[in-house]
Amino acid sequence: MIFERKQRDRWKLHLIEMKGSVGEEKWKEIKGKFRASYLVAQALAGMLEMDIFETVMYTTYERVEFAHPETMPAARHGRSGIPQIKMKDEWDGKRFGLNFGERIPFSHIPIKMERNRDGILTGKLEW
């Protein structure tokens, strides 16, 4: 969690999740963590009287898999009664959002990581 001061009393919030690999189930877990982190950040900002005007969420990863498992046909069925959004569309930041009683859109940026010769995932992000 990074609070970036942009103007006198306005802040940009950066939330970062770091993963080795991401699949459909891991993506659901990541969104849950983003939701919890966002709520914690809002509480901190409220106590410190910080105005968060923008939030960007990042996921670092080595591998990502969008396909459903071939051995689990039931995994391809969506939940009924709610709009279905493809994981790839959310991942690419086109339709990313979190549910807080209503769906709120956010920016999401995936960051590809590479293993160095010591087996440590490394990458770079500039803003």
Side-chain angles (χ1 to χ4, degrees):
M1 179 181 308
I2 299 170
F3 291 92
E4 177 187 9
R5 188 175 184 179
K6 297 300 273 185
Q7 298 167 0
R8 180 179 165 99
D9 293 323
R10 294 179 46 91
W11 298 80
K12 183 174 180 178
L13 174 62
H14 303 270
L15 297 176
I16 305 164
E17 273 296 317
M18 302 170 79
K19 302 294 177 197
S21 62
V22 179
E24 191 168 331
E25 287 303 311
K26 182 66 75 173
W27 181 236
K28 290 177 189 174
E29 177 187 313
I30 290 167
K31 290 192 304 181
K33 289 182 177 184
F34 276 141
R35 185 179 183 282
S37 296
Y38 179 76
L39 292 172
V40 168
Q42 288 293 330
L44 287 170
M47 287 184 278
L48 298 172
E49 298 181 356
M50 299 167 66
D51 176 23
I52 298 174
F53 74 96
E54 181 181 2
T55 300
V56 181
M57 300 181 186
Y58 308 85
T59 306
T60 67
Y61 69 100
E62 180 180 24
R63 293 178 314 279
V64 65
E65 177 64 47
F66 298 116
H68 297 288
E70 291 294 324
T71 58
M72 296 180 65
R76 289 179 277 239
H77 296 288
R79 294 172 45 200
S80 61
I82 60 170
Q84 299 299 307
I85 299 171
K86 293 180 182 177
M87 179 187 161
K88 182 166 180 14
D89 289 344
E90 284 190 311
W91 179 259
D92 292 338
K94 295 175 190 161
R95 297 188 63 203
F96 180 72
L98 299 175
N99 185 359
F100 294 95
E102 66 180 71
R103 191 170 198 284
I104 299 174
F106 292 97
S107 297
H108 177 261
I109 300 173
I111 303 167
K112 176 78 170 132
M113 306 291 277
E114 302 288 336
R115 290 203 183 266
N116 66 16
R117 62 178 163 254
D118 297 322
I120 298 169
L121 287 174
T122 63
K124 187 175 185 179
L125 173 66
E126 296 178 15
W127 71 67

